[in-house]
Amino acid sequence: MPELDAERLEVADTLRRALAIENELSRPQARAYVRCLQTTWQVPTIQWAERESTQQLADARRLLHAAHIFREIEGAGSARAIDCFRRTGEILEWLSRAADTLRTVIPIELLAAAAYQLGGLPAMASGLLRQIVTEHEGVALYAAFLKADFDGVIRLSAAFWNAHPDLTASDASLRLAEPGVEVDELDEEDDRVGWFFTVELVRSLGLIADSLRRGDDARLETAMAKLYALDEMAARTFSDDASLVLSLMRQVADGYKAASIYRPLIALAALNPDRTGKLVAYARDQFSRGRGILWTSQLQGLDRLLRDSSFALCTPTGSGKTLVANMALVKELLLREHDGLAPLAIYLVPSRALAGEVEAKLRSELGGEMTVTALYGGADWGITDYWLTGDEPTVLIATVEKADALMRYLGPILTARLRLLILDEAHQIVPDSGENTRVSFSDHSNRSIRLENFVSRVVTQRPDVVRIALTAVAGGAALPVARWIEGRRDAEAVGVRYRSTRQVIGVLETAPNATGRILLDIMNGRILYIRGQEQPVYLRLRMQPMPQLPAAMRNSLNRFNCLSVLWTALHLVEEDQRILISVAQEPEQTMRWFKEALELGSWAAVPRFAAPDGPDRARFDEARAACIDYCGEVSFELFLLDRGIATSHGQMPQRLRRLMTEMIERRICPITVATATLTEGVNLPFDHIFLTSLKRRSWDQETQTQVIAPLSTSEFRNLAGRAGRPGAAKGIEGMALIALPTQVSSTAPATIPVQRGQLRELRRDYERLRVSLLIEEMDADEVESPLALLLNAIQERASRLLGVDPDDFLEWLEQVLPTDISGAAGEGATDARARLADTLDELDGVLLTALDEIARAEDTAMTGARAEAHLVDLWRTTFTSTAAIQEAWLERAFVQRGRAIVETIYPDAEERRRLYQYGFSPLVGRRFEEIAPRVRELIAAATTYGEDDAEARVDVFEEIGELLAADRGFGFRVRQTDTDQALLRSWTNVLGWWMHEPEFLAPEADDLRAWQRFVADNLEFRLGVAIGAVVAQVWSTGAGDAFAVPSLAEWKATTGLPWFGFWARELLRWGTHDPFVAFALSQNLAQTREAAAERREEFDAWLNEEFDDIDPDDRIDPQLFLQWQGSLSRRERVAAADGPEAVQLTGTNGRRQRYSVIPVENGALIRWLDPAGFELARSDDILGEFPTRRIGNDYELRINPRETAVHRTFSATSRQ
Amino acid sequence: MAIALFQWAKPMHTCEPPTEVIEEWLASNGKIKGTYGHLLLEQQTATDEDLIAAMRPYFESAHLDAREYFHRQIAIDLHPDADAPGAHARYPGCLPSTARRGLFGEVMAGMMTEAFQGQFVGGHEWRIPIFLFREHADVEAYLWDLARNPARTRQIFGRFGSDFVGLSLNDAGEVVRFIAGEAKWRQQLTKSAVDSLMLGKWEEDEETGERARSGRGVWFEINRDTPIPHGLRQLQRLLELRDPAGHQAAILSIDQAIILDNAPPLPRTNLILIAGNGACGRKALDVLIRWEEAPEEYTAPHDLQVVELILTNGEALIDGLYSTLWQGGE
């Protein structure tokens, strides 16, 4: 290191510290950003002088110079250079978006995009460049290059060659460079050096783009050498700005080369060279999807994947962690040698909605190589579960609940096949520390403990199973999750701590008779103005004020506020913004308010929604049909959908939820009203999120008090992080805005003081959030963990309620039975003692499950001593043990209670096995066991279900349901509200409506959600679980062999049940009494239940034709459904792949035998050009023989004694 | 074909100006008043082979760096059948004559600065470690538009950089002052040509129809240039590439000048060199820019040195030089 390098670094760092610290904006920078936002929103801007622009530009140049010094001395990966590049990108982006006049002097957008690329923020680069329209073809070409849009680079360079055919001759460049040689179009006085330089630059960029996407390293090297040489020449001969752009492009190209997906994939292929071809094809396909250049976090993830097995990847939303997961699947399922059982991966997702999203993504990329299937629910085997019998590598995508249920049912075979466990959104292992979590333990509804328990069981049994945790970034638990997943205290998460989008948090101020304005507070965790010292930063919206609302509406401040949000959203849609209105609770109320407002005469002028044309129209119609099907013609959901407003909440039937999500994804519905369940782990393209409340309220029947739960900052963060996804939204930043009224809305003297109080409270809520958001920017090192929280809850309550001395706690815990604590244990009672008993039962469930699973796997009797030894092992694999330092008593309590389970609490091994298989907590399971035989009898008796009428069919469910209706342990549970209690009393009405029994009345629009909730909680879930538990156990008993694989052919013989047993859960899920309808919907053979029912005739006709002696169960035999489906005429496949196209060589002697070429069409003539712009061959396109010739495909010119022809070697599939 | 990245040392500009020949060739009249210097150089002997031969080494030295990079760039042929670097072009000989005249002006700026530094304002010692040749203004039009568009005479982005940058170094090798400027060749140095150059071309007001100078000439550019010209950063980059060890103190002092807010400003001298043939009827000692004191158009706070280089049949010199550079082999 030259002796002055240290001083150079110090000079550069002085500037970095002054201008480019990640979480600090200088005041001028904050002002520049505010001005940019105001310009983007076309609202009045702050005062701004030209010299401020000049100063910002000068700062950007200086930062680039500092970045240059850092890279020169510290290397291309210099973190300090990255800081400088990022801030440069921001400064220039803000100037650019503020339409600054400097833009006419230098190509600011190109510089900004290059700086973002070099700062490791490619999405910001492309997000910015997408907003730029340029009339200059050169600028367009460089922009495409800086966006990593290689297809675009090739398209634009092809256009250039088409416009200058003289330049495509083999010797065109040499002639240009040769003094004295005349060149067409060029006068003596033209600057032929300049023109030559430009032509060579286009050649290099085209060749780099093509070589990158083909993975052709040899030609890439040549093209890069040329680009280097051009850069060196530019530094000498061009003005600073031109040479700067070129120099940055050259560095960006270096970055592309280093980050190409081909590199890690070829390294992976070393594990199994036979698979190289597949991996290379995969890499090419990723380029075609615009994902061929890896993000830093992906590179790091793949690097870890190559070196080690388990790790946690911590990376922001939208930065492509799915790719790392995909490669883990490829590595563990496809590249590893395996004999016998095909390998299996379980991909755990936090919600069923996400299971669908992940399934679609994985299937589109890996579906050809492995079976990818999402399991949406149920403990038993469903029609879509064909994976089990497959001898192909398989990925199961499931929620932890489903995975857990499967494990109880098919544990041995799953465990034997399992190679890889992927945990998506793994930070959900960390429970909230609030009272709700304690209640969720006693309700047996806590997810984090289920996740912890499931993973540690798997790891204890199969320590060699590779684990990969994917986790979000801000305020996260990356470090503890990493320690857990790797099982080492010194583990660290892989990935980068940065935001992939810019997030702005602020307030939408609402007031009667006034246009709303947006107050901007925080950008990426930094304040935008200093309170009390600087002017607040406003975006004053330009739209008509909302007309005065009728008294009934404005007398509720909340309602006024919600409607102001809707009014604002409807007008922002006109500017192509996509908006989520996030509702804390009771979405049905907001939906009704919206409907009633939209029906007001004074709202007639709001911008109208037009249903889409083209392919989206069919999707919209399908969603609409499903909405009518499941919600009814008069529902709020339909009314709003017809106005372009999608709705979603956790209790919505799944099919409708998926379709609603599609309406958002495809940007058909510009506005969405939803609860937080919509966005859990799911990426949807919203520009802005409005929140109407920062609290949830509920009523505690026990204490007769209102329970107010503020939105946690982590929930808010998760929500805010969904706004402004790079590439998906129009603007670069996403805004999360809390709607706050600035004035009371009521004019009634009695109401005004009440509203004033509410107003103050809303302000306080926001202030609390704002302050804690600024404080909680840091990552947590120590976090809550599920088992610790559970054990602490037991200990604390035992002490408080029963006076158990902490010193005596372990002794107490060794012997106490839940039923000793409360006579209502296991019955879902809500008094404190019952809750303690149920919390203990939850712990017993964790222990019993772990122990019985081991006993089953080892096929030996469990003793107290063995239990202790196993639990000591198991404890070490828990999040609680590895994630943070814990008190020693926790482990002792865990182990000793486990020993007691075997020795004294549930000493009967047979019973333990049954309780394990039911899947309830043990005490609840014991009580369930009393009715289980009766459930089984009812199922077994349903032999005529196939021919019964609707009423008789629904009666079967009703009879089973009656066994559950009165029980609060395993049975139906509703909230203590009058509405819900009334619903429970008349639950058979809900059942009849849901199962689509004719004549059953649908709920009023206002009641719809309460009915849906009852269906989701009690019919789909609790009734479904009860039936599933019985069926699963019957199957296990019948199968005998733990490794038996269920198959349709043997299902009836094994269980001895009629097909009704197979279908019952599917029927509850789809809301139909007819298995055929469930089948048709699940196989996408119909869009609505009615349409599916209509197709039954087709099936019946086929059945009558094919078979004689049809008995009732044949009419619902899934094997026959499948046979019938197979008989349907298949959709005609699109024309087969094109053959090679014969060509005449024009610009090569063909001695290299193979040449990469791109097609340039000129009338009927196709000129086949080398990507550097030299024509190599020609062909005629008389009959359009090669109809799918596209710039996104790869073509190769092959010359050998048999042929001189162009082959298509890669075909880009069309995507939307 | 693997091509290594180029990190060559050496081809710095090291050739001394041919002082004796210059003194014989040019009559010099210099005047310095305060921060303004004016130097009139008038050709007094005819251009001949000896003059050209004497100046050739300096020109070859000045062009050496750019020539190497130009050739290397050209040698990389992207045609898929090309398998060895094949160079044919000869820089700068391959340039059109206008470009060669521009280059000539830039080299002369360096040569005159080195040769006459004693008569320049401030009396500083000047060195030109490496020459920038940034005469390809048109390239930017090609570059941004990907087309040869005669209608667009000026590039769409970017201002012209300083044509020429030289340094004054202290004993420690640090930059203590720099000289930056414009070097312009005009075939006939008439008043009108010089006014167009210095004050901008004639423009007609669309409403009044009155003609006036646009105001965007050399004075405008030189007055509005940033305190540290971008050319200095480019020069630094060449030093980093060519001689990072030998010039590390200079490199560091340029970093400081560019980056630090509170660094003492790097003193600057502006240079304007106008070269060309004297206009018809020109008398000896006639000047194009007044010499008594700095013209009022000049508003920048830095020292200003004007050099007028009045030649007789300058084209013969230029063509004579450029057609014979490197004729004796590399």
Side-chain angles (χ1 to χ4, degrees), chain A residues 8 62 65 68 105 136 138 142 185 189-191 193 219 226 231 236-237 239 1148 1151-1152 1155, chain B residues 65 69 73 76 78 80-81 95 98 133 136 139-140 143-145 148 158 236-237 240 255 259 261:
Chain A
R8 296 193 74 192
R62 290 198 294 157
H65 190 77
H68 163 77
V105 182
H136 306 293
Y142 315 137
E185 300 183 20
E189 288 307 294
D190 273 326
D191 183 349
V193 171
R219 294 218 76 205
K226 183 78 174 189
D231 174 28
R236 287 157 173 83
T237 50
S239 76
T1148 175
R1151 67 190 170 84
R1152 285 188 189 272
Y1155 296 84
Chain B
D65 163 79
Y69 278 96
Q73 189 272 104
I76 303 170
L78 294 181
D81 288 335
L95 298 174
T98 43
F133 290 103
H136 300 291
V139 77
E140 302 200 8
L143 208 56
W144 305 125
D145 273 348
R148 293 170 39 259
Q236 186 204 35
R237 184 168 163 204
E240 286 177 333
D255 284 339
I259 285 185
D261 275 324

Side-chain angles (χ1 to χ4, degrees), chain A residues 280-300:
Chain A
V280 166
Y282 181 85
R284 178 63 186 87
D285 187 55
Q286 289 294 308
F287 268 98
S288 166
R289 294 164 192 261
R291 299 202 289 261
I293 301 300
L294 300 175
W295 291 46
T296 315
S297 52
Q298 292 177 322
L299 283 170
Q300 292 179 352

Side-chain angles (χ1 to χ4, degrees), chain B residues 18-81:
Chain B
T19 323
E20 286 177 21
V21 174
I22 293 173
E23 281 172 5
E24 206 174 298
W25 173 46
L26 301 173
S28 70
N29 273 289
K31 171 79 183 171
I32 295 168
K33 182 170 185 196
T35 57
Y36 178 59
H38 186 281
L39 178 65
L40 175 66
L41 300 169
E42 296 170 290
Q43 182 168 354
Q44 55 189 1
T45 58
T47 301
D48 59 16
E49 289 300 319
D50 291 345
L51 177 68
I52 290 171
M55 293 181 77
R56 190 179 301 119
Y58 190 95
F59 270 75
E60 291 187 347
S61 169
H63 281 297
L64 185 57
D65 163 79
R67 176 180 163 87
E68 277 189 13
Y69 278 96
F70 186 76
H71 286 184
R72 184 169 319 117
Q73 189 272 104
I74 271 184
I76 303 170
D77 183 350
L78 294 181
H79 193 285
D81 288 335

Side-chain angles (χ1 to χ4, degrees), chain A residues 702-1000:
Chain A
E702 203 65 39
T703 57
Q704 290 291 309
T705 50
Q706 193 179 47
V707 182
I708 297 179
L711 214 63
S712 70
T713 40
S714 62
E715 186 178 348
F716 180 81
R717 258 179 226 292
N718 176 52
L719 192 59
R722 306 296 163 187
R725 188 181 179 213
K730 186 189 172 217
I732 283 185
E733 49 275 299
M735 292 199 186
L737 301 171
I738 292 91
L740 287 183
T742 52
Q743 292 169 37
V744 297
S745 56
S746 175
T747 48
T751 319
I752 290 174
V754 180
Q755 290 200 343
R756 289 219 174 98
Q758 293 170 336
L759 217 129
R760 283 193 295 274
E761 192 185 334
L762 288 168
R763 290 256 147 214
R764 276 198 303 275
D765 293 347
Y766 173 67
E767 211 35 42
R768 176 192 58 79
L769 175 78
R770 195 183 70 87
V771 170
S772 44
L773 282 173
L774 288 170
I775 294 170
E776 288 175 24
E777 270 295 300
M778 296 302 294
D779 251 352
D781 182 37
E782 305 271 307
V783 291
E784 297 289 350
S785 52
L787 265 176
L789 215 54
L790 174 69
L791 287 162
N792 272 309
I794 295 172
Q795 196 239 25
E796 183 267 324
R797 285 184 185 187
S799 163
R800 182 160 51 84
L801 297 173
L802 308 176
V804 176
D805 188 287
D807 291 340
D808 302 334
F809 175 70
L810 287 181
E811 204 180 317
W812 173 83
L813 188 66
E814 259 183 87
Q815 39 190 310
V816 69
L817 300 177
T819 43
D820 296 342
I821 299 170
S822 165
E827 294 178 20
T830 54
D831 64 284
R833 275 175 164 256
R835 284 213 189 274
L836 172 58
D838 289 341
T839 308
L840 182 60
D841 191 33
E842 176 78 3
L843 174 63
D844 290 348
V846 168
L847 291 161
L848 186 144
T849 302
L851 291 173
D852 200 71
E853 210 159 274
I854 291 279
R856 184 173 68 168
E858 297 185 346
D859 204 17
T860 45
M862 184 58 70
T863 64
R866 289 171 57 80
E868 197 168 324
H870 280 308
L871 291 175
V872 168
D873 283 350
L874 184 84
W875 176 263
R876 291 204 191 100
T877 66
T878 60
F879 182 71
T880 301
S881 144
T882 51
I885 296 161
Q886 297 290 349
E887 297 159 74
W889 71 267
L890 292 172
E891 179 178 358
R892 285 208 303 282
F894 183 73
V895 173
Q896 287 180 29
R897 180 71 185 177
R899 184 173 184 138
I901 292 273
V902 175
E903 291 181 336
T904 57
I905 299 169
Y906 295 99
D908 177 0
E910 291 290 314
E911 186 194 25
R912 286 203 302 274
R913 176 62 46 89
R914 291 196 306 277
L915 294 176
Y916 166 74
Q917 284 188 329
Y918 289 137
F920 294 108
S921 67
L923 196 64
V924 174
R926 230 179 214 177
R927 298 182 60 255
F928 175 71
E929 198 157 37
E930 292 165 20
I931 66 145
R934 181 71 192 125
V935 174
R936 180 184 170 165
E937 281 166 28
L938 289 169
I939 297 172
T943 51
T944 57
Y945 192 92
E947 283 184 355
D948 287 345
D949 64 12
E951 193 183 341
R953 286 173 169 181
V954 176
D955 284 348
V956 181
F957 286 98
E958 197 174 321
E959 282 180 80
I960 302 173
E962 283 301 342
L963 298 169
L964 276 69
D967 186 276
R968 298 293 158 266
F970 53 79
F972 296 165
R973 261 192 228 179
V974 293
R975 300 184 304 176
Q976 293 297 322
T977 60
D978 292 345
T979 326
D980 280 16
Q981 293 295 327
L983 214 53
L984 179 59
R985 284 191 293 277
S986 58
W987 73 273
T988 51
N989 288 339
V990 182
L991 177 75
W993 162 73
W994 175 242
M995 301 306 277
H996 223 206
E997 189 179 341
E999 313 300 323
F1000 263 80

Side-chain angles (χ1 to χ4, degrees), chain A residues 312 423 425-432 446-457 459-460 469 471 476-489 780-789 873-886 890 894:
Chain A
L423 281 74
E425 308 283 320
H427 50 274
Q428 297 205 346
I429 187 72
V430 179
D432 280 342
N446 184 280
R447 290 203 116 146
S448 48
I449 200 160
R450 201 159 296 185
L451 182 60
E452 175 178 52
N453 187 230
F454 179 79
V455 175
S456 24
R457 275 151 48 205
V459 174
T460 310
T471 130
L479 202 57
V481 167
R483 291 178 187 149
W484 177 46
I485 222 71
E486 291 190 48
R488 297 187 293 128
R489 284 292 300 175
D781 182 37
E782 305 271 307
V783 291
E784 297 289 350
S785 52
L787 265 176
L789 215 54
D873 283 350
L874 184 84
W875 176 263
R876 291 204 191 100
T877 66
T878 60
F879 182 71
T880 301
S881 144
T882 51
I885 296 161
Q886 297 290 349
L890 292 172
F894 183 73

